[in-house]
Amino acid sequence: MSIRIMSEVWDIDLPDSEKLVALALADWCNDQGECWPSVPQIARKCSKSERTVQGVTASLEAKGHLTRLMIPGRGCRYHLHP
C-alpha cells in the first residue's frame, strides 16, 4: 500500500462510490501507483457489483484520476494518479 497515494485519494472530492473504489485501488497500489486487482476483487472489497465497479473505473479514468491498461488474457493494470 502506498500511504502517499491513499492520502491523496482522501483529499479528492469524489462521489462516494468513486472514492471507495479509488481507496480500494490505492490500498493495492505500489509506490508508483500501480496495481492489478480483478474487477471481482474490487467489487468484493467495496461491497459493490462488478458492473458498478466497471462504471466507476471508467468515470475515474474520464476524470483523469486513473489510467487502465488492458492486457489481453491477463486482465487490467491500473495506474492511480489522484
Side-chain angles (χ1 to χ4, degrees):
M1 168 178 70
S2 172
I3 294 172
R4 176 188 60 82
I5 293 172
M6 182 78 74
S7 294
E8 290 175 11
V9 171
W10 278 113
D11 292 337
I12 303 171
D13 183 27
L14 293 170
D16 60 348
S17 290
E18 290 180 18
K19 175 92 67 166
L20 186 58
V21 169
L23 287 168
L25 290 171
D27 192 38
W28 273 302
C29 279
N30 60 22
D31 290 338
Q32 291 72 45
E34 298 175 336
C35 61
W36 38 92
S38 67
V39 169
Q41 286 176 306
I42 301 167
R44 275 192 304 278
K45 189 167 196 160
C46 297
S47 299
K48 300 289 183 186
S49 70
E50 291 180 26
R51 191 166 188 87
T52 295
V53 168
Q54 291 167 340
V56 166
T57 55
S59 179
L60 288 170
E61 187 173 34
K63 291 178 180 180
H65 299 300
L66 180 69
T67 302
R68 297 182 292 175
L69 174 63
M70 298 303 294
I71 303 170
R74 306 266 330 206
C76 188
R77 177 176 295 160
Y78 300 95
H79 184 94
L80 193 60
H81 35 88

